C-alpha cells in the first residue's frame, strides 16, 4: 500500500488519484521543458508560434525574448505590442494577464503561486496558495523585479529594477524597494506610444 509524504497509508481511491495527478504533472513538466528548449532558439517568430501552439495567448506585435521560463503556459495571456525581455519567468499556475504596450525588462519574475509557509507539511500541493496577477496597459517593469501572487499593477505604473511587489500598484505610480512602496508618480498620463518592432533574433 502506498503512503503519502507524512507516512499515512493511502486508500485505493487516494492512490489512484495520486497516480493520475503524478502522470498529469509529468506531462505538464515535459511541455514546460520543451518550451525551455524552444526559448534557446534565436528566431522570434518560431518561438511565438510554438508558444501559441501550447495555448498561450499572444497579441499582435508582441515579442517574448530568449530564455523565458513558463509554468503552465495555458493560463498566460499577453496583449498587443508588448515586449518581454530575456530570461523572464512567467507563472501560469493561475491566471496571468499582461496588457497592451507593456515593457517587461530582462530577468523579471512574475509568480502567481507560492507555498503556504504556515503549512505543517509545507510542500503539499493542496496547500500551495495561488492568486491571479494582472499587469495593465503601458506598464514598465525594470530588470530583476519580482511580482508576487495576487498583485495588480495599474495602468501606466512603473516598477523599479530589483523591486519586490507584494501588493497592488496604483495607476501611474512608480514603486521601488523590498517590499516595493510608492516612490514617485508618472507625470505623463496621456500615454499613447508603441514599443516598436520585435527583435527577431533575440
Amino acid at each position: 500500500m502506498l503512503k503519502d509524504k507524512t507516512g499515512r497509508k493511502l486508500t485505493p481511491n487516494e492512490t489512484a488519484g495520486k497516480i493520475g495527478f503524478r502522470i498529469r504533472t509529468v506531462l505538464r513538466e515535459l511541455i514546460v521543458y520543451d518550451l525551455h528548449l524552444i526559448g534557446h532558439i534565436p528566431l522570434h517568430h518560431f518561438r511565438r508560434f510554438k508558444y501559441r501552439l501550447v495555448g498561450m495567448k499572444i497579441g499582435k506585435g508582441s515579442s517574448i525574448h530568449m530564455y523565458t521560463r513558463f509554468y503552465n503556459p495555458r493560463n498566460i495571456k499577453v496583449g498587443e505590442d508588448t515586449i518581454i525581455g530575456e530570461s523572464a519567468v512567467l507563472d501560469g499556475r493561475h491566471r496571468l494577464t499582461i496588457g497592451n504596450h507593456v515593457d517587461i525588462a530582462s530577468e523579471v519574475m512574475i509568480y502567481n503561486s507560492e507555498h503556504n509557509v504556515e503549512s505543517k507539511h509545507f510542500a503539499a500541493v493542496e496547500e500551495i496558495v495561488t492568486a491571479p496577477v494582472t499587469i495593465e496597459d503601458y506598464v514598465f517593469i525594470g530588470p530583476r523585479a519580482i511580482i508576487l501572487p495576487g498583485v495588480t499593477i495599474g495602468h501606466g505604473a512603473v516598477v523599479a529594477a530589483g523591486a519586490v511587489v507584494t501588493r497592488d500598484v496604483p495607476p501611474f505610480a512608480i514603486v521601488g524597494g523590498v517590499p516595493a512602496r510608492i516612490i514617485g508618480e508618472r507625470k505623463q498620463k496621456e500615454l499613447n506610444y508603441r514599443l516598436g518592432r520585435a527583435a527577431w533574433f533575440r
Side-chain angles (χ1 to χ4, degrees):
M1 180 162 302
L2 289 180
K3 298 179 180 179
D4 66 12
K5 292 180 181 179
T6 66
R8 182 180 66 85
K9 292 181 179 179
L10 299 174
T11 67
N13 282 344
E14 289 174 327
T15 300
K18 197 168 188 67
I19 292 170
F21 178 80
R22 180 58 59 89
I23 291 170
R24 291 191 301 274
T25 299
V26 169
L27 292 174
R28 189 164 52 244
E29 287 171 351
L30 281 172
I31 292 170
V32 168
Y33 182 66
D34 183 47
L35 293 179
H36 169 67
L37 296 178
I38 290 165
H40 288 71
I41 298 172
L43 294 169
H44 160 71
H45 293 291
F46 175 76
R47 290 196 314 274
R48 187 169 60 182
F49 169 75
K50 292 291 284 186
Y51 296 155
R52 285 172 172 160
L53 205 60
V54 296
M56 278 185 65
K57 296 172 181 64
I58 304 173
K60 182 179 179 182
S62 290
S63 61
I64 299 174
H65 287 163
M66 293 175 67
Y67 315 121
T68 298
R69 297 299 301 259
F70 304 94
Y71 302 106
N72 200 356
R74 292 180 183 274
N75 291 326
I76 300 172
K77 180 181 179 182
V78 179
E80 296 183 0
D81 184 48
T82 285
I83 295 177
I84 297 170
E86 290 91 349
S87 300
V89 174
L90 303 181
D91 189 348
R93 288 174 287 183
H94 203 296
R95 189 174 66 255
L96 170 57
T97 305
I98 301 172
N100 303 321
H101 318 292
V102 174
D103 189 353
I104 296 176
S106 299
E107 299 183 22
V108 168
M109 294 184 283
I110 303 172
Y111 291 104
N112 52 34
S113 181
E114 61 185 349
H115 288 282
N116 176 5
V117 296
E118 302 301 334
S119 163
K120 181 179 178 180
H121 305 296
F122 184 63
V125 172
E126 62 273 9
E127 293 177 342
I128 290 178
V129 179
T130 64
V133 171
T134 301
I135 299 170
E136 296 182 354
D137 299 346
Y138 293 106
V139 167
F140 170 64
I141 302 177
R144 295 191 173 181
I146 300 173
I147 315 299
L148 293 181
V151 166
T152 294
I153 301 179
H155 183 98
V158 175
V159 177
V164 178
V165 183
T166 60
R167 60 182 63 183
D168 291 353
V169 177
F172 302 105
I174 300 173
V175 300
V178 180
R181 59 182 179 83
I182 295 175
I183 57 175
E185 183 179 354
R186 204 168 180 177
K187 300 297 187 290
Q188 177 57 258
K189 303 293 195 297
E190 300 296 325
L191 302 175
N192 188 27
Y193 56 78
R194 294 191 64 81
L195 295 174
R197 181 181 69 81
W200 285 11
F201 302 104
R202 284 179 62 192

